[in-house]
Amino acid sequence: MTAIPYSKDVASTIIAGHGARPEMLVQMLHEFIHHFEWIPEEAIRQLADELNLSRADVHGVVSFYHDFRTTPPGKRVIRICQAEACQAMGSAELVNHAESVLGMKMHESSEELTLEPVYCLGNCACSPSIMVDGDIFGRIDRQRFDEIVARREQRY
Ligand code: FES
């Protein structure tokens, strides 16, 4: 996954597309993520200015939702589901394993890799689930996790 450089013009177009209405902030942020892959500080400033909100208001919304990452993603993004069904099937143990083999904590990013939680991938029947570069995998144990990550590494 490669973050697109931030563009004030593109951001303005997104904001205008939602009528520059402050109550549409969450939808705008989703679109920012869809387009840029992250929410830089510059975006928070621009949203606050154009929506007539304080930066603290925008920061508050950004930090409330796990989907709104504030650092650029690595080339590969691994998401481990932390919602109820996956928790019941051992996702916490999977997180420990992932952090140990990848050498990074959840919410951390390097140029190569981002490791982050996600809250339900719609694959609850096959818990625990993960998403790697947009593809969903279910019934993940330590061995399957290692295999999937190793297979993906060969692509890069
Ligand atoms: S709870 Fe993990 S996929 Fe739904």
Side-chain angles (χ1 to χ4, degrees):
M1 197 176 276
T2 309
I4 309 275
Y6 188 72
S7 156
K8 278 188 112 174
D9 290 343
V10 171
S12 280
T13 303
I14 292 171
I15 294 167
H18 291 277
R21 289 162 43 212
E23 66 271 25
M24 297 301 285
L25 176 60
V26 171
Q27 288 84 347
M28 292 175 205
L29 288 167
H30 277 296
E31 226 175 297
F32 275 43
I33 287 288
H34 184 73
H35 192 84
F36 302 115
E37 306 286 355
W38 68 301
I39 310 287
E41 191 59 37
E42 200 181 348
I44 290 173
R45 231 177 294 127
Q46 185 173 356
L47 281 159
D49 290 348
E50 294 196 25
L51 300 177
N52 208 18
L53 295 169
S54 71
R55 285 185 204 172
D57 288 337
V58 180
H59 262 295
V61 174
V62 169
S63 58
F64 184 78
Y65 293 94
H66 297 278
D67 282 349
F68 301 148
R69 65 168 81 91
T70 53
T71 52
K75 285 183 197 149
R76 290 183 301 138
V77 176
I78 298 176
R79 294 179 165 143
I80 301 178
C81 182
Q82 306 281 277
E84 212 171 295
C86 287
Q87 289 243 359
M89 294 302 285
S91 66
E93 200 180 299
L94 199 54
V95 167
N96 289 338
H97 176 70
E99 289 181 338
S100 154
V101 296
L102 299 173
M104 61 176 20
K105 295 282 181 198
M106 290 293 261
H107 298 283
E108 280 186 3
S109 259
S110 68
E111 205 176 303
E112 293 302 314
L113 183 66
T114 292
L115 180 63
E116 60 189 18
V118 64
Y119 293 86
C120 196
L121 292 164
N123 197 38
C124 316
C126 299
S127 300
S129 299
I130 65 172
M131 178 183 266
V132 181
D133 302 333
D135 295 329
I136 296 172
F137 301 88
R139 297 199 171 94
I140 300 298
D141 57 17
R142 291 165 183 236
Q143 188 185 341
R144 236 169 95 64
F145 181 87
D146 292 346
E147 285 166 5
I148 291 165
V149 170
R151 234 183 297 140
R152 289 300 167 121
E153 268 170 9
Q154 290 165 7
R155 288 188 179 183
Y156 294 92

